[in-house]
Coordinates of all heavy atoms in Angstrom, one line a residue:
M1048 N 92.0 113.7 105.1 CA 93.0 112.9 105.7 C 92.4 111.9 106.6 O 93.0 110.9 106.9 CB 94.1 113.7 106.3 CG 95.1 114.4 105.4 SD 96.3 115.3 106.3 CE 96.2 116.8 105.5
T1049 N 91.3 112.2 107.2 CA 90.6 111.3 108.1 C 90.3 110.0 107.5 O 90.6 109.0 108.1 CB 89.3 112.0 108.6 OG1 89.6 113.2 109.2 CG2 88.7 111.1 109.7
G1050 N 89.9 110.0 106.2 CA 89.6 108.8 105.5 C 90.8 107.9 105.3 O 90.7 106.7 105.3
N1051 N 92.0 108.5 105.2 CA 93.2 107.8 105.0 C 93.6 107.1 106.3 O 94.3 106.1 106.3 CB 94.3 108.7 104.6 CG 94.1 109.2 103.2 OD1 93.0 109.5 102.8 ND2 95.1 109.3 102.4
Y1052 N 93.2 107.7 107.5 CA 93.6 107.1 108.8 C 92.6 106.0 109.2 O 93.0 105.1 109.8 CB 93.5 108.3 109.8 CG 94.2 107.9 111.1 CD1 95.5 107.9 111.3 CD2 93.4 107.4 112.2 CE1 96.1 107.6 112.5 CE2 94.0 107.0 113.4 CZ 95.3 107.1 113.5 OH 95.9 106.8 114.7
R1053 N 91.3 106.1 108.8 CA 90.3 105.1 109.2 C 90.7 103.8 108.6 O 91.2 103.7 107.5 CB 89.0 105.5 108.7 CG 88.4 106.6 109.5 CD 86.9 106.8 109.2 NE 86.5 107.9 109.9 CZ 85.7 108.9 109.3 NH1 85.4 108.8 108.1 NH2 85.4 109.9 110.0
G1054 N 90.6 102.8 109.4 CA 90.9 101.4 109.0 C 92.4 101.1 109.2 O 92.8 99.9 109.1
L1055 N 93.2 102.0 109.5 CA 94.6 101.8 109.7 C 94.8 101.6 111.2 O 94.1 102.1 112.0 CB 95.5 102.9 109.2 CG 95.4 103.2 107.7 CD1 96.3 104.5 107.4 CD2 95.9 102.1 106.9
G1056 N 95.8 100.8 111.6 CA 96.2 100.7 113.0 C 95.2 99.9 113.8 O 95.0 100.1 115.0
E1057 N 94.5 99.0 113.1 CA 93.4 98.3 113.8 C 93.8 97.6 115.1 O 93.1 97.7 116.1 CB 92.8 97.2 112.9 CG 92.1 97.8 111.6 CD 90.9 98.6 111.9 OE1 90.1 98.3 112.8 OE2 90.6 99.6 111.2
G1058 N 95.0 97.0 115.1 CA 95.4 96.3 116.3 C 96.3 97.1 117.2 O 96.9 96.5 118.1
Q1059 N 96.4 98.4 117.0 CA 97.3 99.2 117.8 C 96.7 100.4 118.4 O 97.3 101.4 118.5 CB 98.5 99.6 116.9 CG 99.3 98.5 116.4 CD 100.4 99.1 115.5 OE1 100.7 100.2 115.5 NE2 101.1 98.2 114.8
E1060 N 95.5 100.2 118.9 CA 94.8 101.3 119.6 C 94.8 102.6 118.7 O 95.1 103.7 119.2 CB 95.4 101.6 120.9 CG 95.4 100.4 121.9 CD 96.2 100.6 123.1 OE1 96.6 101.8 123.4 OE2 96.5 99.6 123.8
C1061 N 94.4 102.5 117.5 CA 94.3 103.6 116.6 C 95.6 104.3 116.3 O 95.7 105.5 116.2 CB 93.3 104.6 117.0 SG 91.6 103.9 117.0
K1062 N 96.7 103.5 116.3 CA 98.0 104.0 115.9 C 98.4 103.4 114.6 O 97.9 102.3 114.3 CB 99.1 103.7 116.9 CG 98.8 104.4 118.3 CD 99.9 104.0 119.3 CE 99.6 104.6 120.6 NZ 100.5 104.1 121.6
I1063 N 99.2 104.1 113.8 CA 99.6 103.5 112.5 C 101.2 103.3 112.5 O 101.9 104.2 113.1 CB 99.2 104.3 111.3 CG1 99.7 105.7 111.2 CG2 97.6 104.3 111.2 CD1 99.5 106.4 109.9
D1064 N 101.6 102.2 111.9 CA 103.1 102.0 111.9 C 103.6 102.5 110.6 O 102.9 103.1 109.8 CB 103.4 100.5 112.1 CG 102.8 99.6 111.0 OD1 102.5 100.1 109.8 OD2 102.6 98.4 111.2
S1065 N 104.9 102.3 110.3 CA 105.5 102.9 109.1 C 104.9 102.4 107.8 O 104.8 103.1 106.9 CB 107.0 102.7 109.2 OG 107.3 101.3 109.2
N1066 N 104.6 101.1 107.8 CA 104.0 100.5 106.6 C 102.6 101.2 106.3 O 102.3 101.5 105.1 CB 103.8 99.0 106.7 CG 105.1 98.3 106.6 OD1 106.1 98.7 106.0 ND2 105.2 97.2 107.3
E1067 N 101.8 101.4 107.3 CA 100.5 102.0 107.2 C 100.7 103.5 106.8 O 99.9 104.0 106.0 CB 99.7 101.8 108.4 CG 99.3 100.4 108.7 CD 98.8 100.1 110.1 OE1 99.3 100.7 111.0 OE2 97.9 99.3 110.2
L1068 N 101.7 104.1 107.4 CA 101.9 105.5 107.0 C 102.3 105.6 105.6 O 101.9 106.5 104.9 CB 103.0 106.1 107.9 CG 103.4 107.6 107.6 CD1 102.2 108.5 107.8 CD2 104.5 108.0 108.6
R1069 N 103.2 104.7 105.1 CA 103.6 104.7 103.7 C 102.4 104.6 102.8 O 102.2 105.4 101.8 CB 104.6 103.6 103.4 CG 105.1 103.5 102.0 CD 106.0 102.3 101.7 NE 105.3 101.1 101.9 CZ 104.4 100.5 101.0 NH1 104.1 101.2 99.9 NH2 103.8 99.4 101.3
E1070 N 101.5 103.7 103.1 CA 100.2 103.5 102.3 C 99.4 104.8 102.3 O 98.9 105.2 101.3 CB 99.4 102.3 102.9 CG 100.1 101.0 102.6 CD 99.3 99.9 103.3 OE1 98.1 100.0 103.6 OE2 99.9 98.8 103.6
A1071 N 99.3 105.4 103.5 CA 98.5 106.6 103.6 C 99.1 107.8 102.8 O 98.4 108.5 102.1 CB 98.3 107.0 105.1
L1072 N 100.4 107.9 102.9 CA 101.1 109.0 102.1 C 101.0 108.8 100.6 O 100.8 109.7 99.9 CB 102.6 109.1 102.6 CG 102.8 109.7 104.0 CD1 104.3 109.6 104.4 CD2 102.3 111.1 104.1
I1073 N 101.1 107.5 100.2 CA 101.0 107.2 98.8 C 99.6 107.5 98.3 O 99.4 108.1 97.2 CB 101.4 105.7 98.5 CG1 102.9 105.5 98.6 CG2 100.9 105.3 97.1 CD1 103.3 104.1 98.6
S1074 N 98.6 107.2 99.1 CA 97.2 107.5 98.7 C 97.0 109.0 98.6 O 96.1 109.5 97.9 CB 96.2 106.9 99.7 OG 96.2 107.6 100.9
L1075 N 97.8 109.8 99.3 CA 97.7 111.3 99.3 C 98.6 111.8 98.2 O 98.7 113.1 97.9 CB 98.1 111.9 100.6 CG 97.2 111.7 101.8 CD1 97.8 112.1 103.1 CD2 95.8 112.4 101.5
G1076 N 99.4 111.0 97.5 CA 100.2 111.4 96.4 C 101.7 111.7 96.7 O 102.4 112.3 96.0
F1077 N 102.1 111.2 97.9 CA 103.5 111.5 98.4 C 104.2 110.1 98.5 O 103.8 109.3 99.3 CB 103.5 112.2 99.7 CG 102.7 113.5 99.7 CD1 101.5 113.6 100.5 CD2 103.1 114.6 99.0 CE1 100.8 114.8 100.4 CE2 102.4 115.7 99.0 CZ 101.3 115.8 99.7
S1078 N 105.3 110.0 97.8 CA 106.1 108.8 97.9 C 107.4 109.2 98.5 O 108.2 110.0 98.0 CB 106.3 108.2 96.5 OG 107.1 107.1 96.5
V1079 N 107.7 108.6 99.7 CA 108.9 108.9 100.4 C 109.7 107.6 100.6 O 109.2 106.5 100.6 CB 108.7 109.5 101.8 CG1 108.0 110.8 101.7 CG2 107.9 108.6 102.7
S1080 N 111.0 107.7 100.7 CA 111.9 106.6 100.8 C 111.7 105.9 102.2 O 111.2 106.5 103.1 CB 113.4 107.0 100.7 OG 113.7 107.8 101.8
P1081 N 112.1 104.7 102.3 CA 112.0 104.0 103.6 C 112.8 104.7 104.7 O 112.3 104.8 105.9 CB 112.7 102.6 103.4 CG 112.4 102.4 101.9 CD 112.6 103.7 101.3
T1082 N 113.9 105.4 104.4 CA 114.7 106.1 105.4 C 113.9 107.3 105.9 O 113.8 107.6 107.1 CB 116.0 106.6 104.8 OG1 116.7 105.4 104.3 CG2 116.8 107.3 105.8
V1083 N 113.3 108.1 104.9 CA 112.5 109.2 105.3 C 111.2 108.8 106.1 O 110.8 109.4 107.1 CB 112.0 110.0 104.0 CG1 111.0 111.1 104.4 CG2 113.3 110.7 103.4
L1084 N 110.6 107.7 105.7 CA 109.5 107.1 106.4 C 109.8 106.8 107.9 O 109.1 107.2 108.8 CB 109.0 105.9 105.7 CG 107.6 105.4 106.0 CD1 106.6 106.4 105.7 CD2 107.4 104.1 105.2
E1085 N 110.9 106.2 108.1 CA 111.3 105.9 109.5 C 111.6 107.2 110.3 O 111.3 107.2 111.5 CB 112.6 105.0 109.5 CG 112.3 103.6 109.0 CD 111.2 102.8 109.8 OE1 111.1 103.0 111.0 OE2 110.4 102.2 109.2
L1086 N 112.2 108.2 109.6 CA 112.4 109.5 110.3 C 111.1 110.1 110.7 O 110.9 110.7 111.8 CB 113.2 110.4 109.4 CG 114.7 110.1 109.4 CD1 115.4 111.0 108.3 CD2 115.4 110.4 110.7
L1087 N 110.1 110.0 109.8 CA 108.8 110.6 110.1 C 108.1 109.9 111.3 O 107.6 110.6 112.2 CB 107.9 110.5 108.8 CG 108.2 111.5 107.7 CD1 107.4 111.1 106.4 CD2 108.0 112.9 108.1
V1088 N 108.2 108.6 111.3 CA 107.6 107.9 112.4 C 108.3 108.2 113.7 O 107.6 108.5 114.7 CB 107.6 106.3 112.1 CG1 107.2 105.6 113.4 CG2 106.7 106.0 110.9
S1089 N 109.6 108.3 113.6 CA 110.4 108.6 114.8 C 110.0 110.0 115.3 O 109.8 110.2 116.5 CB 111.9 108.5 114.5 OG 112.6 108.9 115.7
K1090 N 109.9 110.9 114.4 CA 109.6 112.3 114.8 C 108.2 112.5 115.3 O 108.0 113.2 116.3 CB 109.8 113.2 113.5 CG 109.1 114.6 113.6 CD 110.0 115.6 114.1 CE 109.4 117.0 114.0 NZ 109.2 117.7 115.2
F1091 N 107.2 111.8 114.7 CA 105.8 112.0 115.1 C 105.3 111.0 116.1 O 104.1 111.1 116.5 CB 105.0 112.1 113.9 CG 105.2 113.4 113.1 CD1 106.1 113.4 112.0 CD2 104.7 114.6 113.5 CE1 106.3 114.5 111.3 CE2 105.0 115.8 112.8 CZ 105.8 115.7 111.7
D1092 N 106.1 110.1 116.5 CA 105.7 109.1 117.5 C 105.8 109.8 118.9 O 106.9 110.2 119.3 CB 106.6 107.9 117.5 CG 106.4 106.8 118.5 OD1 105.5 107.0 119.4 OD2 107.1 105.8 118.5
K1093 N 104.7 109.8 119.6 CA 104.7 110.5 120.9 C 105.6 109.9 122.0 O 106.0 110.5 122.9 CB 103.2 110.5 121.5 CG 102.3 111.5 120.8 CD 100.9 111.5 121.5 CE 100.0 112.5 120.8 NZ 98.7 112.5 121.4
S1094 N 106.0 108.6 121.7 CA 106.9 108.0 122.7 C 108.3 108.3 122.4 O 109.2 107.7 123.0 CB 106.6 106.5 122.7 OG 107.1 105.9 121.5
G1095 N 108.6 109.1 121.4 CA 109.9 109.4 121.0 C 110.6 108.4 120.1 O 111.8 108.3 120.1
G1096 N 109.7 107.6 119.5 CA 110.2 106.6 118.6 C 110.2 105.2 119.2 O 110.4 104.2 118.5
K1097 N 109.8 105.0 120.4 CA 109.8 103.7 121.1 C 108.7 102.8 120.5 O 108.9 101.6 120.3 CB 109.7 103.8 122.6 CG 110.9 104.5 123.3 CD 110.6 104.7 124.7 CE 111.7 105.5 125.4 NZ 111.4 105.8 126.7
N1098 N 107.5 103.4 120.3 CA 106.4 102.6 119.9 C 106.4 102.3 118.4 O 105.8 101.4 117.9 CB 105.1 103.3 120.2 CG 104.8 103.3 121.7 OD1 105.3 102.5 122.4 ND2 104.0 104.3 122.1
K1099 N 107.2 103.2 117.6 CA 107.2 103.1 116.2 C 105.8 103.1 115.6 O 105.5 102.4 114.6 CB 108.0 101.9 115.7 CG 109.4 101.9 116.2 CD 110.3 100.8 115.6 CE 111.6 100.8 116.2 NZ 112.6 101.4 115.4
A1100 N 105.0 104.0 116.1 CA 103.6 104.2 115.7 C 103.2 105.6 115.9 O 103.7 106.3 116.8 CB 102.7 103.2 116.4
I1101 N 102.2 106.1 115.1 CA 101.8 107.5 115.2 C 100.3 107.5 115.5 O 99.5 106.8 114.8 CB 102.0 108.2 113.8 CG1 103.5 108.2 113.5 CG2 101.5 109.6 113.9 CD1 103.8 108.8 112.1
E1102 N 99.9 108.3 116.4 CA 98.5 108.5 116.8 C 97.9 109.5 115.8 O 98.6 110.2 115.1 CB 98.3 109.0 118.2 CG 98.7 107.9 119.2 CD 98.6 108.4 120.6 OE1 98.1 109.4 120.9 OE2 99.1 107.6 121.5
Y1103 N 96.5 109.6 115.8 CA 95.8 110.4 114.8 C 96.3 111.9 114.7 O 96.5 112.4 113.7 CB 94.3 110.4 115.1 CG 93.5 111.2 114.1 CD1 93.4 110.8 112.8 CD2 92.9 112.4 114.5 CE1 92.7 111.5 111.9 CE2 92.3 113.2 113.6 CZ 92.1 112.7 112.3 OH 91.4 113.5 111.4
D1104 N 96.4 112.5 115.9 CA 96.7 114.0 115.8 C 98.1 114.2 115.2 O 98.3 115.1 114.4 CB 96.7 114.6 117.2 CG 97.6 113.9 118.3 OD1 97.9 112.8 118.1 OD2 97.9 114.6 119.3
N1105 N 99.0 113.3 115.5 CA 100.4 113.4 114.9 C 100.4 112.9 113.5 O 101.2 113.3 112.7 CB 101.4 112.7 115.8 CG 101.9 113.5 116.9 OD1 101.4 114.7 117.1 ND2 102.7 113.0 117.8
F1106 N 99.5 112.0 113.1 CA 99.3 111.6 111.7 C 99.0 112.9 110.9 O 99.6 113.1 109.8 CB 98.3 110.6 111.6 CG 97.8 110.3 110.2 CD1 98.7 109.6 109.3 CD2 96.6 110.7 109.7 CE1 98.3 109.3 108.0 CE2 96.2 110.4 108.4 CZ 97.0 109.8 107.5
I1107 N 98.1 113.7 111.4 CA 97.7 114.9 110.6 C 98.9 115.8 110.5 O 99.2 116.4 109.5 CB 96.5 115.6 111.4 CG1 95.3 114.7 111.4 CG2 96.2 117.0 110.7 CD1 94.7 114.4 110.0
K1108 N 99.6 116.0 111.6 CA 100.8 116.9 111.6 C 101.8 116.4 110.6 O 102.4 117.2 109.9 CB 101.4 117.0 113.0 CG 100.5 117.8 114.0 CD 101.2 117.8 115.4 CE 100.3 118.4 116.4 NZ 100.8 118.3 117.8
C1109 N 102.0 115.1 110.6 CA 103.0 114.5 109.7 C 102.6 114.7 108.3 O 103.4 115.1 107.5 CB 103.1 113.0 110.0 SG 104.2 112.0 108.9
C1110 N 101.3 114.5 107.9 CA 100.9 114.7 106.6 C 101.0 116.1 106.1 O 101.4 116.4 105.0 CB 99.4 114.2 106.4 SG 99.3 112.4 106.5
L1111 N 100.7 117.0 107.0 CA 100.8 118.5 106.7 C 102.2 118.9 106.5 O 102.5 119.7 105.6 CB 100.1 119.3 107.8 CG 98.6 119.2 107.8 CD1 98.0 120.0 109.0 CD2 98.0 119.7 106.5
T1112 N 103.1 118.3 107.3 CA 104.6 118.6 107.2 C 105.1 118.1 105.8 O 105.8 118.8 105.1 CB 105.4 117.9 108.3 OG1 104.9 118.5 109.5 CG2 106.8 118.2 108.1
V1113 N 104.7 116.8 105.5 CA 105.2 116.2 104.2 C 104.6 117.1 103.0 O 105.3 117.4 102.1 CB 104.8 114.8 104.1 CG1 105.0 114.2 102.7 CG2 105.5 113.9 105.1
K1114 N 103.3 117.4 103.1 CA 102.7 118.2 102.1 C 103.4 119.6 101.9 O 103.7 120.0 100.8 CB 101.2 118.4 102.4 CG 100.5 119.3 101.4 CD 99.0 119.5 101.8 CE 98.2 120.2 100.8 NZ 98.5 121.6 100.7
G1115 N 103.6 120.3 103.0 CA 104.2 121.6 103.0 C 105.7 121.5 102.5 O 106.1 122.4 101.6
L1116 N 106.5 120.6 102.9 CA 107.8 120.5 102.5 C 107.9 120.1 101.0 O 108.7 120.6 100.2 CB 108.6 119.4 103.3 CG 109.0 119.9 104.7 CD1 109.5 118.7 105.5 CD2 110.0 121.0 104.6
T1117 N 107.0 119.2 100.6 CA 106.9 118.8 99.1 C 106.5 120.0 98.3 O 107.2 120.3 97.2 CB 105.9 117.7 98.9 OG1 106.3 116.6 99.7 CG2 105.8 117.3 97.5
E1118 N 105.6 120.8 98.7 CA 105.2 122.0 98.0 C 106.4 123.0 97.9 O 106.6 123.6 96.8 CB 104.0 122.7 98.6 CG 102.7 121.9 98.4 CD 101.5 122.5 99.2 OE1 101.7 123.4 100.0 OE2 100.4 122.0 99.0
K1119 N 107.1 123.2 99.0 CA 108.2 124.1 98.9 C 109.3 123.6 98.0 O 109.9 124.4 97.3 CB 108.8 124.3 100.4 CG 107.9 125.1 101.3 CD 107.8 126.5 100.7 CE 107.0 127.4 101.6 NZ 106.8 128.8 101.1
F1120 N 109.6 122.3 98.0 CA 110.6 121.7 97.2 C 110.2 121.9 95.7 O 111.0 122.3 94.9 CB 110.8 120.2 97.5 CG 111.8 119.6 96.5 CD1 113.1 119.8 96.8 CD2 111.4 118.9 95.4 CE1 114.1 119.2 95.9 CE2 112.3 118.3 94.6 CZ 113.7 118.5 94.8
K1121 N 108.9 121.6 95.4 CA 108.4 121.8 94.0 C 108.6 123.2 93.5 O 108.8 123.4 92.3 CB 107.0 121.3 93.9 CG 106.8 119.8 93.9 CD 105.4 119.4 93.8 CE 105.3 117.8 93.7 NZ 103.9 117.4 93.6
E1122 N 108.5 124.2 94.4 CA 108.7 125.6 94.0 C 110.1 125.7 93.4 O 110.4 126.5 92.5 CB 108.5 126.5 95.1 CG 107.1 126.7 95.5 CD 106.9 127.5 96.8 OE1 107.9 128.2 97.2 OE2 105.8 127.6 97.3
K1123 N 111.1 125.0 94.0 CA 112.5 125.1 93.6 C 112.9 124.2 92.5 O 113.8 124.4 91.7 CB 113.4 124.8 94.8 CG 113.2 125.7 96.0 CD 113.6 127.1 95.7 CE 113.5 128.0 96.9 NZ 113.8 129.4 96.7
D1124 N 112.1 123.1 92.3 CA 112.3 122.1 91.3 C 111.5 122.5 90.0 O 110.6 121.8 89.7 CB 112.0 120.7 91.8 CG 112.2 119.6 90.8 OD1 113.0 119.8 89.8 OD2 111.6 118.5 90.9
T1125 N 111.9 123.5 89.4 CA 111.1 124.1 88.3 C 111.1 123.2 87.0 O 110.2 123.2 86.2 CB 111.7 125.5 87.8 OG1 113.1 125.3 87.5 CG2 111.5 126.5 88.9
S1126 N 112.1 122.3 86.9 CA 112.1 121.3 85.8 C 111.4 120.0 86.1 O 111.4 119.1 85.2 CB 113.5 121.1 85.3 OG 114.2 120.4 86.4
C1127 N 110.9 119.9 87.3 CA 110.2 118.7 87.8 C 111.1 117.4 87.6 O 110.6 116.4 87.2 CB 108.9 118.5 87.0 SG 107.7 119.8 87.3
S1128 N 112.3 117.6 87.9 CA 113.3 116.5 87.8 C 113.5 115.7 89.1 O 114.1 114.7 89.1 CB 114.6 117.0 87.3 OG 115.2 117.9 88.4
G1129 N 112.9 116.2 90.1 CA 113.1 115.5 91.4 C 114.4 116.0 92.1 O 114.8 115.4 93.1
S1130 N 115.1 117.0 91.6 CA 116.3 117.5 92.2 C 116.3 119.0 92.1 O 115.7 119.6 91.2 CB 117.5 116.9 91.7 OG 117.7 117.2 90.3
S1131 N 117.0 119.7 93.0 CA 117.1 121.1 92.9 C 118.4 121.5 93.7 O 118.9 120.8 94.5 CB 115.9 121.8 93.5 OG 115.9 123.2 93.4
T1132 N 118.8 122.7 93.5 CA 120.0 123.3 94.2 C 119.5 124.4 95.1 O 118.8 125.3 94.6 CB 121.0 123.8 93.2 OG1 121.4 122.8 92.3 CG2 122.2 124.3 93.9
F1133 N 119.8 124.3 96.4 CA 119.5 125.3 97.4 C 120.7 125.9 97.9 O 121.7 125.2 98.2 CB 118.8 124.6 98.6 CG 117.4 124.1 98.3 CD1 117.1 123.0 97.6 CD2 116.3 124.9 98.8 CE1 115.8 122.6 97.5 CE2 115.0 124.5 98.7 CZ 114.7 123.3 98.0
T1134 N 120.7 127.2 98.2 CA 121.7 127.7 99.1 C 121.4 127.3 100.5 O 120.2 126.9 100.8 CB 121.7 129.3 99.0 OG1 120.5 129.8 99.5 CG2 121.9 129.8 97.6
Y1135 N 122.3 127.4 101.4 CA 122.1 127.1 102.8 C 121.0 127.9 103.4 O 120.1 127.4 104.0 CB 123.4 127.3 103.6 CG 123.2 126.9 105.1 CD1 123.0 125.6 105.5 CD2 123.3 127.9 106.0 CE1 122.9 125.3 106.8 CE2 123.1 127.6 107.3 CZ 122.9 126.3 107.7 OH 122.8 126.0 109.1
E1136 N 121.0 129.2 103.1 CA 120.0 130.1 103.6 C 118.6 129.7 103.1 O 117.6 129.7 103.8 CB 120.3 131.6 103.1 CG 119.3 132.6 103.6 CD 119.5 133.0 105.1 OE1 120.4 132.5 105.7 OE2 118.6 133.7 105.5
A1137 N 118.5 129.4 101.8 CA 117.2 129.0 101.2 C 116.7 127.7 101.8 O 115.5 127.6 102.1 CB 117.3 128.9 99.7
F1138 N 117.6 126.8 102.1 CA 117.2 125.6 102.7 C 116.7 125.8 104.1 O 115.6 125.3 104.5 CB 118.4 124.6 102.8 CG 118.1 123.4 103.7 CD1 117.3 122.4 103.3 CD2 118.7 123.3 104.9 CE1 117.1 121.3 104.1 CE2 118.5 122.3 105.8 CZ 117.6 121.2 105.4
M1139 N 117.4 126.6 104.9 CA 117.0 126.9 106.3 C 115.6 127.6 106.3 O 114.8 127.3 107.1 CB 118.1 127.7 107.0 CG 119.4 127.0 107.2 SD 119.2 125.5 108.2 CE 119.2 126.2 109.8
L1140 N 115.5 128.6 105.4 CA 114.2 129.3 105.4 C 113.0 128.4 104.9 O 111.9 128.7 105.3 CB 114.3 130.5 104.4 CG 115.2 131.6 105.0 CD1 115.4 132.7 103.9 CD2 114.7 132.2 106.2
T1141 N 113.3 127.4 104.2 CA 112.3 126.4 103.7 C 112.0 125.4 104.8 O 110.8 125.2 105.1 CB 112.8 125.7 102.5 OG1 113.0 126.6 101.4 CG2 111.8 124.7 102.0
A1142 N 113.0 124.9 105.4 CA 112.8 123.8 106.4 C 112.4 124.2 107.8 O 111.6 123.6 108.4 CB 114.0 122.9 106.4
L1143 N 113.0 125.3 108.3 CA 112.8 125.7 109.7 C 111.3 125.9 110.1 O 110.9 125.5 111.2 CB 113.7 126.8 110.1 CG 115.1 126.5 110.3 CD1 116.0 127.7 110.6 CD2 115.3 125.5 111.4
P1144 N 110.5 126.6 109.2 CA 109.1 126.8 109.6 C 108.4 125.5 109.9 O 107.5 125.4 110.7 CB 108.5 127.5 108.4 CG 109.7 128.2 107.8 CD 110.8 127.3 108.0
F1145 N 108.8 124.4 109.3 CA 108.2 123.1 109.6 C 108.7 122.4 110.8 O 108.1 121.5 111.3 CB 108.4 122.2 108.3 CG 107.6 122.7 107.1 CD1 108.3 123.5 106.2 CD2 106.3 122.4 107.0 CE1 107.6 124.0 105.1 CE2 105.6 123.0 105.9 CZ 106.2 123.7 105.0
L1146 N 109.9 122.8 111.2 CA 110.5 122.2 112.4 C 110.2 122.9 113.7 O 110.2 122.3 114.8 CB 112.1 122.1 112.2 CG 112.6 121.4 111.0 CD1 114.1 121.5 110.9 CD2 112.2 119.9 111.1
I1147 N 109.9 124.2 113.6 CA 109.7 125.0 114.7 C 108.1 125.2 114.8 O 107.6 126.1 114.1 CB 110.4 126.4 114.6 CG1 111.9 126.2 114.5 CG2 110.1 127.3 115.8 CD1 112.6 127.4 114.1
T1148 N 107.5 124.5 115.7 CA 106.1 124.6 115.8 C 105.7 124.6 117.3 O 106.4 124.2 118.1 CB 105.3 123.4 115.1 OG1 105.8 122.2 115.6 CG2 105.5 123.5 113.6

């Protein structure tokens, strides 16, 4: 993941914005919607979303979160259709470990 971060955020003191994050995630094999992308930047921006940019340590956390949630979703999406049905309990048990850190 370090290689994906290098060269990004050149003019922002080693921070990456949502466009750069999108490029990094795509290079890692994760395609997320613009809405999800903005939520990720807001969540992992140390300024609480004011800077609309992510520093390196939170970039790693963001990528690991996207990777983990994607893997958990793929476990439920057995037909690889991009959709799945979750019970509330299953959803909570899947999502909460990534939110509580």
Side-chain angles (χ1 to χ4, degrees):
M1048 282 183 234
T1049 302
N1051 293 37
Y1052 191 85
R1053 285 191 187 133
L1055 298 175
E1057 296 292 329
Q1059 298 180 9
E1060 302 172 13
C1061 295
K1062 295 179 183 175
I1063 63 171
D1064 63 22
S1065 60
N1066 290 327
E1067 294 166 322
L1068 178 60
R1069 182 184 61 77
E1070 291 174 22
L1072 290 173
I1073 287 171
S1074 74
L1075 292 169
F1077 306 111
S1078 179
V1079 297
S1080 72
T1082 303
V1083 171
L1084 196 59
E1085 291 302 320
L1086 284 170
L1087 288 169
V1088 171
S1089 179
K1090 162 91 172 119
F1091 291 99
D1092 177 358
K1093 286 184 177 179
S1094 72
K1097 293 177 188 171
N1098 293 333
K1099 298 191 185 259
I1101 301 175
E1102 293 179 9
Y1103 179 71
D1104 58 338
N1105 279 356
F1106 168 73
I1107 297 297
K1108 291 176 187 176
C1109 177
C1110 290
L1111 291 173
T1112 298
V1113 170
K1114 179 181 184 287
L1116 286 170
T1117 300
E1118 288 171 352
K1119 290 295 185 182
F1120 179 80
K1121 285 182 177 181
E1122 289 174 9
K1123 302 291 184 184
D1124 181 20
T1125 55
S1126 64
C1127 298
S1128 64
S1130 64
S1131 184
T1132 303
F1133 285 78
T1134 64
Y1135 180 70
E1136 181 75 7
F1138 169 75
M1139 294 300 279
L1140 291 173
T1141 298
L1143 284 176
F1145 294 95
L1146 301 174
I1147 303 169
T1148 55

